[in-house]
PDB file of all heavy atoms in Angstrom:
ATOM      1  N   TYR N  80     -41.607  65.662  64.074  1.00  0.00           N
ATOM      2  CA  TYR N  80     -42.156  64.987  62.894  1.00  0.00           C
ATOM      3  C   TYR N  80     -41.820  63.503  62.960  1.00  0.00           C
ATOM      4  O   TYR N  80     -40.807  63.112  63.539  1.00  0.00           O
ATOM      5  CB  TYR N  80     -41.520  65.524  61.599  1.00  0.00           C
ATOM      6  CG  TYR N  80     -41.706  67.006  61.376  1.00  0.00           C
ATOM      7  CD1 TYR N  80     -40.727  67.905  61.755  1.00  0.00           C
ATOM      8  CD2 TYR N  80     -42.858  67.487  60.766  1.00  0.00           C
ATOM      9  CE1 TYR N  80     -40.885  69.265  61.551  1.00  0.00           C
ATOM     10  CE2 TYR N  80     -43.026  68.844  60.552  1.00  0.00           C
ATOM     11  CZ  TYR N  80     -42.044  69.730  60.949  1.00  0.00           C
ATOM     12  OH  TYR N  80     -42.201  71.078  60.747  1.00  0.00           O
ATOM     13  N   TYR N  81     -42.647  62.706  62.322  1.00  0.00           N
ATOM     14  CA  TYR N  81     -42.249  61.337  62.037  1.00  0.00           C
ATOM     15  C   TYR N  81     -41.372  61.423  60.798  1.00  0.00           C
ATOM     16  O   TYR N  81     -41.630  62.249  59.911  1.00  0.00           O
ATOM     17  CB  TYR N  81     -43.473  60.464  61.768  1.00  0.00           C
ATOM     18  CG  TYR N  81     -44.237  60.182  63.029  1.00  0.00           C
ATOM     19  CD1 TYR N  81     -45.242  61.046  63.475  1.00  0.00           C
ATOM     20  CD2 TYR N  81     -43.928  59.068  63.797  1.00  0.00           C
ATOM     21  CE1 TYR N  81     -45.925  60.806  64.660  1.00  0.00           C
ATOM     22  CE2 TYR N  81     -44.607  58.818  64.983  1.00  0.00           C
ATOM     23  CZ  TYR N  81     -45.596  59.692  65.410  1.00  0.00           C
ATOM     24  OH  TYR N  81     -46.261  59.435  66.577  1.00  0.00           O
ATOM     25  N   VAL N  82     -40.338  60.590  60.732  1.00  0.00           N
ATOM     26  CA  VAL N  82     -39.392  60.681  59.615  1.00  0.00           C
ATOM     27  C   VAL N  82     -39.019  59.286  59.121  1.00  0.00           C
ATOM     28  O   VAL N  82     -38.794  58.388  59.933  1.00  0.00           O
ATOM     29  CB  VAL N  82     -38.066  61.379  60.057  1.00  0.00           C
ATOM     30  CG1 VAL N  82     -37.165  61.635  58.853  1.00  0.00           C
ATOM     31  CG2 VAL N  82     -38.327  62.681  60.804  1.00  0.00           C
ATOM     32  N   VAL N  83     -38.963  59.124  57.804  1.00  0.00           N
ATOM     33  CA  VAL N  83     -38.447  57.866  57.239  1.00  0.00           C
ATOM     34  C   VAL N  83     -37.527  58.218  56.063  1.00  0.00           C
ATOM     35  O   VAL N  83     -37.846  59.088  55.252  1.00  0.00           O
ATOM     36  CB  VAL N  83     -39.585  56.942  56.724  1.00  0.00           C
ATOM     37  CG1 VAL N  83     -39.014  55.618  56.229  1.00  0.00           C
ATOM     38  CG2 VAL N  83     -40.630  56.687  57.804  1.00  0.00           C
ATOM     39  N   LYS N  84     -36.391  57.529  56.010  1.00  0.00           N
ATOM     40  CA  LYS N  84     -35.485  57.693  54.861  1.00  0.00           C
ATOM     41  C   LYS N  84     -35.942  56.723  53.784  1.00  0.00           C
ATOM     42  O   LYS N  84     -36.142  55.544  54.078  1.00  0.00           O
ATOM     43  CB  LYS N  84     -34.046  57.317  55.253  1.00  0.00           C
ATOM     44  CG  LYS N  84     -33.470  58.203  56.328  1.00  0.00           C
ATOM     45  CD  LYS N  84     -32.078  57.753  56.720  1.00  0.00           C
ATOM     46  CE  LYS N  84     -32.132  56.614  57.716  1.00  0.00           C
ATOM     47  NZ  LYS N  84     -30.817  56.222  58.230  1.00  0.00           N
ATOM     48  N   VAL N  85     -36.120  57.191  52.574  1.00  0.00           N
ATOM     49  CA  VAL N  85     -36.581  56.279  51.519  1.00  0.00           C
ATOM     50  C   VAL N  85     -35.838  56.459  50.195  1.00  0.00           C
ATOM     51  O   VAL N  85     -35.189  57.477  49.962  1.00  0.00           O
ATOM     52  CB  VAL N  85     -38.105  56.430  51.230  1.00  0.00           C
ATOM     53  CG1 VAL N  85     -38.955  55.972  52.369  1.00  0.00           C
ATOM     54  CG2 VAL N  85     -38.465  57.846  50.857  1.00  0.00           C
ATOM     55  N   ASN N  86     -35.975  55.437  49.374  1.00  0.00           N
ATOM     56  CA  ASN N  86     -35.577  55.515  47.979  1.00  0.00           C
ATOM     57  C   ASN N  86     -36.832  55.118  47.208  1.00  0.00           C
ATOM     58  O   ASN N  86     -37.141  53.934  47.075  1.00  0.00           O
ATOM     59  CB  ASN N  86     -34.420  54.537  47.713  1.00  0.00           C
ATOM     60  CG  ASN N  86     -34.079  54.412  46.236  1.00  0.00           C
ATOM     61  OD1 ASN N  86     -34.803  54.878  45.376  1.00  0.00           O
ATOM     62  ND2 ASN N  86     -32.954  53.762  45.953  1.00  0.00           N
ATOM     63  N   ALA N  87     -37.559  56.136  46.759  1.00  0.00           N
ATOM     64  CA  ALA N  87     -38.847  55.875  46.116  1.00  0.00           C
ATOM     65  C   ALA N  87     -38.667  55.101  44.817  1.00  0.00           C
ATOM     66  O   ALA N  87     -39.567  54.406  44.364  1.00  0.00           O
ATOM     67  CB  ALA N  87     -39.575  57.194  45.843  1.00  0.00           C
ATOM     68  N   LYS N  88     -37.483  55.224  44.247  1.00  0.00           N
ATOM     69  CA  LYS N  88     -37.240  54.596  42.948  1.00  0.00           C
ATOM     70  C   LYS N  88     -37.141  53.075  43.069  1.00  0.00           C
ATOM     71  O   LYS N  88     -37.719  52.351  42.277  1.00  0.00           O
ATOM     72  CB  LYS N  88     -35.967  55.175  42.336  1.00  0.00           C
ATOM     73  CG  LYS N  88     -35.954  55.120  40.841  1.00  0.00           C
ATOM     74  CD  LYS N  88     -34.850  55.994  40.276  1.00  0.00           C
ATOM     75  CE  LYS N  88     -34.632  55.698  38.825  1.00  0.00           C
ATOM     76  NZ  LYS N  88     -33.664  56.613  38.228  1.00  0.00           N
ATOM     77  N   ASN N  89     -36.401  52.594  44.080  1.00  0.00           N
ATOM     78  CA  ASN N  89     -36.296  51.134  44.193  1.00  0.00           C
ATOM     79  C   ASN N  89     -37.138  50.570  45.343  1.00  0.00           C
ATOM     80  O   ASN N  89     -37.164  49.365  45.556  1.00  0.00           O
ATOM     81  CB  ASN N  89     -34.833  50.689  44.295  1.00  0.00           C
ATOM     82  CG  ASN N  89     -34.249  50.867  45.675  1.00  0.00           C
ATOM     83  OD1 ASN N  89     -34.892  51.416  46.584  1.00  0.00           O
ATOM     84  ND2 ASN N  89     -33.025  50.412  45.862  1.00  0.00           N
ATOM     85  N   GLY N  90     -37.786  51.460  46.065  1.00  0.00           N
ATOM     86  CA  GLY N  90     -38.713  50.987  47.103  1.00  0.00           C
ATOM     87  C   GLY N  90     -38.100  50.808  48.486  1.00  0.00           C
ATOM     88  O   GLY N  90     -38.824  50.464  49.423  1.00  0.00           O
ATOM     89  N   ALA N  91     -36.798  51.045  48.633  1.00  0.00           N
ATOM     90  CA  ALA N  91     -36.181  50.872  49.957  1.00  0.00           C
ATOM     91  C   ALA N  91     -36.808  51.849  50.952  1.00  0.00           C
ATOM     92  O   ALA N  91     -36.928  53.036  50.671  1.00  0.00           O
ATOM     93  CB  ALA N  91     -34.670  51.089  49.861  1.00  0.00           C
ATOM     94  N   GLY N  92     -37.206  51.323  52.093  1.00  0.00           N
ATOM     95  CA  GLY N  92     -37.787  52.164  53.149  1.00  0.00           C
ATOM     96  C   GLY N  92     -39.294  52.338  53.028  1.00  0.00           C
ATOM     97  O   GLY N  92     -39.954  52.791  53.951  1.00  0.00           O
ATOM     98  N   VAL N  93     -39.839  51.957  51.899  1.00  0.00           N
ATOM     99  CA  VAL N  93     -41.258  52.220  51.665  1.00  0.00           C
ATOM    100  C   VAL N  93     -42.162  51.371  52.577  1.00  0.00           C
ATOM    101  O   VAL N  93     -43.197  51.835  53.044  1.00  0.00           O
ATOM    102  CB  VAL N  93     -41.599  52.062  50.162  1.00  0.00           C
ATOM    103  CG1 VAL N  93     -43.101  52.112  49.919  1.00  0.00           C
ATOM    104  CG2 VAL N  93     -40.916  53.162  49.351  1.00  0.00           C
ATOM    105  N   LYS N  94     -41.716  50.160  52.878  1.00  0.00           N
ATOM    106  CA  LYS N  94     -42.482  49.309  53.801  1.00  0.00           C
ATOM    107  C   LYS N  94     -42.608  49.954  55.177  1.00  0.00           C
ATOM    108  O   LYS N  94     -43.652  49.900  55.817  1.00  0.00           O
ATOM    109  CB  LYS N  94     -41.779  47.952  53.940  1.00  0.00           C
ATOM    110  CG  LYS N  94     -42.483  46.846  53.205  1.00  0.00           C
ATOM    111  CD  LYS N  94     -42.000  45.500  53.699  1.00  0.00           C
ATOM    112  CE  LYS N  94     -42.512  44.394  52.820  1.00  0.00           C
ATOM    113  NZ  LYS N  94     -41.560  43.283  52.746  1.00  0.00           N
ATOM    114  N   VAL N  95     -41.494  50.537  55.605  1.00  0.00           N
ATOM    115  CA  VAL N  95     -41.471  51.175  56.925  1.00  0.00           C
ATOM    116  C   VAL N  95     -42.525  52.290  56.983  1.00  0.00           C
ATOM    117  O   VAL N  95     -43.119  52.549  58.025  1.00  0.00           O
ATOM    118  CB  VAL N  95     -40.062  51.768  57.206  1.00  0.00           C
ATOM    119  CG1 VAL N  95     -39.989  52.415  58.571  1.00  0.00           C
ATOM    120  CG2 VAL N  95     -38.995  50.701  57.054  1.00  0.00           C
ATOM    121  N   VAL N  96     -42.764  52.922  55.844  1.00  0.00           N
ATOM    122  CA  VAL N  96     -43.716  54.032  55.811  1.00  0.00           C
ATOM    123  C   VAL N  96     -45.103  53.575  56.281  1.00  0.00           C
ATOM    124  O   VAL N  96     -45.763  54.271  57.044  1.00  0.00           O
ATOM    125  CB  VAL N  96     -43.780  54.668  54.398  1.00  0.00           C
ATOM    126  CG1 VAL N  96     -44.834  55.762  54.348  1.00  0.00           C
ATOM    127  CG2 VAL N  96     -42.419  55.229  53.998  1.00  0.00           C
ATOM    128  N   HIS N  97     -45.514  52.381  55.871  1.00  0.00           N
ATOM    129  CA  HIS N  97     -46.813  51.857  56.307  1.00  0.00           C
ATOM    130  C   HIS N  97     -46.897  51.804  57.834  1.00  0.00           C
ATOM    131  O   HIS N  97     -47.890  52.211  58.425  1.00  0.00           O
ATOM    132  CB  HIS N  97     -47.025  50.431  55.757  1.00  0.00           C
ATOM    133  CG  HIS N  97     -47.561  50.429  54.364  1.00  0.00           C
ATOM    134  ND1 HIS N  97     -48.858  50.724  54.076  1.00  0.00           N
ATOM    135  CD2 HIS N  97     -46.958  50.191  53.170  1.00  0.00           C
ATOM    136  CE1 HIS N  97     -49.056  50.657  52.776  1.00  0.00           C
ATOM    137  NE2 HIS N  97     -47.917  50.334  52.189  1.00  0.00           N
ATOM    138  N   LYS N  98     -45.824  51.305  58.426  1.00  0.00           N
ATOM    139  CA  LYS N  98     -45.791  51.149  59.881  1.00  0.00           C
ATOM    140  C   LYS N  98     -45.860  52.521  60.560  1.00  0.00           C
ATOM    141  O   LYS N  98     -46.614  52.740  61.500  1.00  0.00           O
ATOM    142  CB  LYS N  98     -44.483  50.426  60.262  1.00  0.00           C
ATOM    143  CG  LYS N  98     -44.596  49.589  61.500  1.00  0.00           C
ATOM    144  CD  LYS N  98     -43.262  48.914  61.820  1.00  0.00           C
ATOM    145  CE  LYS N  98     -42.360  49.887  62.530  1.00  0.00           C
ATOM    146  NZ  LYS N  98     -40.952  49.726  62.343  1.00  0.00           N
ATOM    147  N   VAL N  99     -45.078  53.434  60.023  1.00  0.00           N
ATOM    148  CA  VAL N  99     -44.996  54.758  60.644  1.00  0.00           C
ATOM    149  C   VAL N  99     -46.311  55.528  60.479  1.00  0.00           C
ATOM    150  O   VAL N  99     -46.703  56.294  61.353  1.00  0.00           O
ATOM    151  CB  VAL N  99     -43.781  55.539  60.091  1.00  0.00           C
ATOM    152  CG1 VAL N  99     -43.734  56.945  60.644  1.00  0.00           C
ATOM    153  CG2 VAL N  99     -42.496  54.802  60.440  1.00  0.00           C
ATOM    154  N   ILE N 100     -47.007  55.297  59.378  1.00  0.00           N
ATOM    155  CA  ILE N 100     -48.302  55.974  59.190  1.00  0.00           C
ATOM    156  C   ILE N 100     -49.265  55.566  60.309  1.00  0.00           C
ATOM    157  O   ILE N 100     -49.935  56.399  60.908  1.00  0.00           O
ATOM    158  CB  ILE N 100     -48.916  55.653  57.809  1.00  0.00           C
ATOM    159  CG1 ILE N 100     -48.144  56.385  56.725  1.00  0.00           C
ATOM    160  CG2 ILE N 100     -50.400  56.026  57.759  1.00  0.00           C
ATOM    161  CD1 ILE N 100     -48.675  56.174  55.312  1.00  0.00           C
ATOM    162  N   ALA N 101     -49.289  54.270  60.591  1.00  0.00           N
ATOM    163  CA  ALA N 101     -50.188  53.786  61.644  1.00  0.00           C
ATOM    164  C   ALA N 101     -49.841  54.449  62.973  1.00  0.00           C
ATOM    165  O   ALA N 101     -50.723  54.844  63.746  1.00  0.00           O
ATOM    166  CB  ALA N 101     -50.079  52.270  61.745  1.00  0.00           C
ATOM    167  N   GLU N 102     -48.549  54.614  63.201  1.00  0.00           N
ATOM    168  CA  GLU N 102     -48.084  55.221  64.450  1.00  0.00           C
ATOM    169  C   GLU N 102     -48.453  56.709  64.474  1.00  0.00           C
ATOM    170  O   GLU N 102     -48.955  57.219  65.468  1.00  0.00           O
ATOM    171  CB  GLU N 102     -46.570  55.044  64.489  1.00  0.00           C
ATOM    172  CG  GLU N 102     -46.001  54.908  65.870  1.00  0.00           C
ATOM    173  CD  GLU N 102     -44.503  54.703  65.754  1.00  0.00           C
ATOM    174  OE1 GLU N 102     -44.095  53.805  64.968  1.00  0.00           O
ATOM    175  OE2 GLU N 102     -43.767  55.468  66.396  1.00  0.00           O
TER     176      GLU N 102
END
Side-chain angles (χ1 to χ4, degrees):
Y80 301 96
Y81 287 88
V82 187
V83 184
K84 297 177 278 186
V85 292
N86 172 349
K88 207 166 167 175
N89 79 355
V93 171
K94 254 197 190 148
V95 181
V96 176
H97 276 285
K98 210 180 81 210
V99 176
I100 287 181
E102 211 179 309

